Amino acid sequence: MTELNKIALQIISNGKGILAADESNGTMTKRLDAVNVTSTPENRLLFRETLFSSESMRECIGGVILFDETINQITSSGKSVPDLISSTGATPGIKVDTGAKILANSSEEKITEGLDGLRERLKTYYKLGARFTKWRGVYSISNKYPSELAIYSNAHALARYSALVQECGMVPIVEPELLMDGDHSAEVCLSKTSEVIKRCFEQLIFHKIDLTGVILKPNMILAGNQSKNKISNEEVSKKTVQCLRDSVPNEVPGIAFLSGGQSEIEATKNLDLINKNNNTEFKMTFSYGRALQQSALKKWSKNNKDIKDTQITFNHRAKMCSLAAQGKWSNELESK
Ligand code: 5MM
């Protein structure tokens, strides 16, 4: 087993998943505005520190993805944020892309940037304690999208990013996210997601990536949020497993889904069914942002001095996601 494979498995095994707390300041400001909290570096740290020192970190969270500001912050106990995370047994990770920008010659689509100077930034993050990284390519679904240009250029960037990350001794999370916006059917989501994932792995293989040291972070297969033909959770899970079985090379140790705008319960229920129907060797877990943090953020915004209450809310969500990652979640446990 290589060191990279060991890190990847440590993050996603034994019912553990990933807390995606890597909102850039723009996104975090939107989240905080929505609950009437001023977005300052201190408030962003306070909320995140509250989550990272929760009890469920030990049992349910294998890795935390941070944003550049957070990985450099010092917590109230005097420990750095990565040290606080490591002290719970979880692995600190870092988002290293610099965001999705308009793709020249297909201006309704996006290309993710951040390759310039990446090798040097990675060395700094490694010294700060990061052992895995994240890069998100984002694609929209419509009759003409994602275009060949968006598929190729994002796959190429994901592969170049992965090569630099592995060179630096860290595990790359490869996140191709096909957005749920639109009126497309689940079948269309399935065929376009399969195409995008296959093309990403083509590039990863071409760039000589060690696939045993990669975690894939895909969307689940859902009908678009404007579609009149929604499918059941059971169908979501079957189509998602089918998509991954057909498009992900067997060497990849695991898959950690994004929640993509699903509610906390939907994201948990779908992950649970995915694991109940998982007929592959891949570990299937969560790498949720909103679906792990939403309720906790609401609670915290009401009284940010009441750390315990926020942590109780987060612990419950993390526990439910962890059960779902083992196919052991149920409605009864959810409402206990
Ligand atoms: C946490 O949000 C991440 C994006 O942040 P920015 O848009 O601010 O860069 C995002 O990449 C996230 O990690 C994944 O999309 C998963 O989050 P959700 O909320 O979809 O589970």
Side-chain angles (χ1 to χ4, degrees), residues 20-25 27-28 31 65 95 97 134 136 175 177 217 257-261 287-291 293:
D22 59 311
E23 297 86 355
S24 52
N25 287 347
T27 303
M28 198 56 193
R31 306 262 189 272
I65 316 173
K95 186 232 302 284
D97 67 64
K134 194 202 86 174
R136 171 173 172 255
E175 180 180 7
E177 176 176 7
K217 175 165 174 167
F257 295 97
L258 59 93
S259 58
S287 175
Y288 293 164
R290 287 163 286 182
Q293 301 182 63

Coordinates of all heavy atoms in Angstrom, one line a residue, residues 20-25 27-28 31 65 95 97 134 136 175 177 217 257-261 287-291 293, ligand 1:
A20 N -16.7 19.5 4.2 CA -16.2 20.5 3.2 C -16.5 21.9 3.8 O -17.6 22.4 3.7 CB -16.9 20.3 1.9
A21 N -15.5 22.4 4.5 CA -15.6 23.8 5.1 C -14.7 24.7 4.4 O -14.1 25.6 5.0 CB -15.2 23.7 6.6
D22 N -14.7 24.6 3.0 CA -13.7 25.3 2.2 C -14.4 26.5 1.5 O -13.9 26.9 0.5 CB -13.0 24.4 1.2 CG -14.0 23.7 0.3 OD1 -15.0 23.2 0.8 OD2 -13.8 23.8 -0.9
E23 N -15.5 27.0 2.0 CA -16.2 28.1 1.4 C -15.2 29.3 1.3 O -14.6 29.6 2.3 CB -17.4 28.6 2.2 CG -18.5 27.6 2.3 CD -18.3 26.6 3.5 OE1 -17.3 26.7 4.2 OE2 -19.2 25.8 3.7
S24 N -15.1 29.8 0.1 CA -14.2 31.0 -0.1 C -15.0 32.1 0.7 O -16.1 32.0 1.0 CB -14.1 31.3 -1.6 OG -15.3 31.4 -2.2
N25 N -14.3 33.3 0.9 CA -14.9 34.3 1.7 C -16.2 34.8 1.0 O -17.1 35.2 1.8 CB -13.9 35.5 1.9 CG -12.8 35.1 2.9 OD1 -13.0 34.0 3.6 ND2 -11.8 35.8 3.0
T27 N -18.5 33.1 -0.7 CA -19.5 32.1 -0.4 C -19.9 32.2 1.0 O -21.1 32.1 1.4 CB -19.1 30.7 -0.9 OG1 -18.8 30.8 -2.3 CG2 -20.2 29.7 -0.6
M28 N -18.9 32.2 1.9 CA -19.1 32.2 3.3 C -19.9 33.5 3.7 O -20.8 33.4 4.6 CB -17.8 32.1 4.1 CG -17.9 31.7 5.5 SD -18.8 30.1 5.7 CE -19.1 30.0 7.4
R31 N -23.5 32.9 3.0 CA -24.1 31.9 4.0 C -24.3 32.7 5.4 O -25.3 32.5 6.0 CB -23.1 30.8 4.3 CG -22.7 30.0 3.1 CD -23.5 28.7 2.9 NE -22.9 27.9 1.9 CZ -23.2 28.0 0.6 NH1 -24.1 28.9 0.1 NH2 -22.6 27.2 -0.3
I65 N -11.9 19.9 4.7 CA -11.4 20.7 3.6 C -11.5 22.2 4.1 O -12.5 22.6 4.4 CB -12.1 20.6 2.3 CG1 -12.4 19.1 1.9 CG2 -11.2 21.2 1.1 CD1 -13.2 18.9 0.7
K95 N -8.5 23.5 -0.1 CA -9.0 23.8 -1.4 C -7.9 24.6 -2.1 O -7.4 25.6 -1.6 CB -10.3 24.6 -1.4 CG -10.9 24.9 -2.7 CD -11.2 26.3 -3.0 CE -12.1 27.0 -2.1 NZ -13.5 26.7 -2.3
D97 N -7.9 25.3 -5.7 CA -8.2 26.0 -6.9 C -8.5 27.5 -6.5 O -8.8 27.8 -5.4 CB -9.4 25.3 -7.7 CG -10.7 25.4 -7.0 OD1 -11.2 26.5 -6.7 OD2 -11.2 24.3 -6.6
K134 N -8.3 19.8 -2.6 CA -9.5 19.7 -3.4 C -9.4 20.8 -4.6 O -9.0 21.9 -4.4 CB -10.7 20.0 -2.6 CG -12.0 19.6 -3.3 CD -13.2 20.3 -2.7 CE -13.4 21.7 -3.4 NZ -14.6 22.3 -3.0
R136 N -12.3 21.9 -7.8 CA -13.6 21.6 -8.3 C -13.8 22.2 -9.7 O -13.6 23.4 -9.9 CB -14.6 22.3 -7.3 CG -16.1 22.3 -7.8 CD -16.9 22.9 -6.6 NE -18.3 23.1 -7.0 CZ -18.8 24.4 -7.3 NH1 -18.0 25.4 -7.1 NH2 -20.0 24.5 -7.6
E175 N -12.9 16.8 -8.1 CA -14.4 17.1 -8.0 C -14.9 17.7 -9.3 O -14.8 18.9 -9.6 CB -14.6 18.2 -6.9 CG -16.1 18.5 -6.7 CD -16.4 19.5 -5.6 OE1 -15.4 20.1 -5.0 OE2 -17.6 19.7 -5.3
E177 N -18.2 18.7 -10.8 CA -19.6 18.8 -10.3 C -20.5 19.3 -11.5 O -20.4 20.4 -12.0 CB -19.7 19.9 -9.2 CG -21.2 20.1 -8.8 CD -21.4 21.1 -7.7 OE1 -20.5 21.7 -7.2 OE2 -22.6 21.1 -7.3
K217 N -14.9 13.2 -6.1 CA -16.0 13.8 -5.4 C -17.0 14.2 -6.5 O -16.9 15.3 -7.0 CB -15.5 15.0 -4.7 CG -16.6 15.9 -4.0 CD -16.0 16.9 -3.0 CE -17.1 17.8 -2.5 NZ -16.7 18.6 -1.3
F257 N -19.2 12.0 -2.1 CA -20.2 12.8 -2.8 C -20.3 14.2 -2.3 O -20.2 14.4 -1.0 CB -21.6 12.2 -2.7 CG -21.7 10.9 -3.4 CD1 -21.6 9.7 -2.7 CD2 -21.8 10.8 -4.8 CE1 -21.6 8.5 -3.4 CE2 -21.9 9.6 -5.5 CZ -21.8 8.4 -4.7
L258 N -20.6 15.2 -3.2 CA -21.0 16.5 -2.8 C -22.5 16.5 -2.6 O -23.2 15.6 -3.1 CB -20.5 17.5 -3.8 CG -21.1 17.3 -5.3 CD1 -22.3 18.1 -5.5 CD2 -20.0 17.7 -6.3
S259 N -23.0 17.5 -1.8 CA -24.5 17.5 -1.7 C -25.2 18.3 -2.7 O -26.3 18.1 -3.0 CB -24.9 17.9 -0.2 OG -24.4 19.1 0.1
G260 N -24.5 19.3 -3.2 CA -25.0 20.1 -4.4 C -26.3 20.8 -4.3 O -26.9 21.1 -5.3
G261 N -26.7 21.1 -3.1 CA -28.0 21.9 -3.0 C -29.1 21.0 -2.5 O -30.3 21.5 -2.3
S287 N -18.8 14.1 1.2 CA -17.9 15.3 1.4 C -18.8 16.5 1.3 O -18.8 17.2 0.3 CB -16.9 15.3 0.3 OG -16.1 16.4 0.4
Y288 N -19.7 16.7 2.3 CA -20.7 17.6 2.2 C -20.3 19.0 2.8 O -19.6 19.0 3.9 CB -22.0 17.2 3.0 CG -22.7 15.9 2.4 CD1 -23.6 15.2 3.2 CD2 -22.4 15.5 1.1 CE1 -24.2 14.1 2.6 CE2 -23.1 14.4 0.6 CZ -24.0 13.7 1.3 OH -24.7 12.6 0.8
G289 N -20.8 20.0 2.2 CA -20.6 21.4 2.7 C -22.0 21.7 3.4 O -22.2 21.6 4.6
R290 N -22.9 22.2 2.5 CA -24.2 22.6 3.1 C -24.9 21.5 3.8 O -25.5 21.8 4.9 CB -25.1 23.1 1.9 CG -24.6 24.5 1.4 CD -25.2 24.8 0.0 NE -24.5 24.0 -1.0 CZ -24.8 24.1 -2.3 NH1 -25.8 24.9 -2.7 NH2 -24.2 23.3 -3.2
A291 N -24.9 20.3 3.3 CA -25.7 19.2 4.0 C -25.2 18.8 5.3 O -25.8 18.0 6.0 CB -25.9 18.1 3.0
Q293 N -23.6 21.4 7.3 CA -23.5 22.7 8.1 C -24.7 23.5 8.3 O -24.8 24.3 9.2 CB -22.4 23.6 7.5 CG -21.1 22.9 7.4 CD -20.0 23.9 6.8 OE1 -19.8 24.9 7.4 NE2 -19.5 23.6 5.6
Ligands
5MM1 C1 -18.0 24.4 0.6 O1 -18.3 24.9 -0.7 C2 -17.3 24.6 -1.8 C3 -17.2 25.8 -2.7 O2 -16.8 26.9 -2.2 P1 -16.6 28.2 -3.1 O3 -17.8 28.2 -4.1 O4 -16.8 29.2 -2.1 O5 -15.3 28.1 -3.7 C4 -17.7 23.5 -2.7 O6 -16.7 23.2 -3.6 C5 -18.0 22.3 -1.9 O7 -16.8 21.8 -1.3 C6 -18.6 21.2 -2.7 O8 -19.4 21.8 -3.8 C7 -19.6 20.5 -1.8 O9 -20.4 21.4 -1.1 P2 -21.9 21.0 -1.1 O10 -22.5 22.2 -0.3 O11 -22.4 21.0 -2.5 O12 -22.0 19.7 -0.4

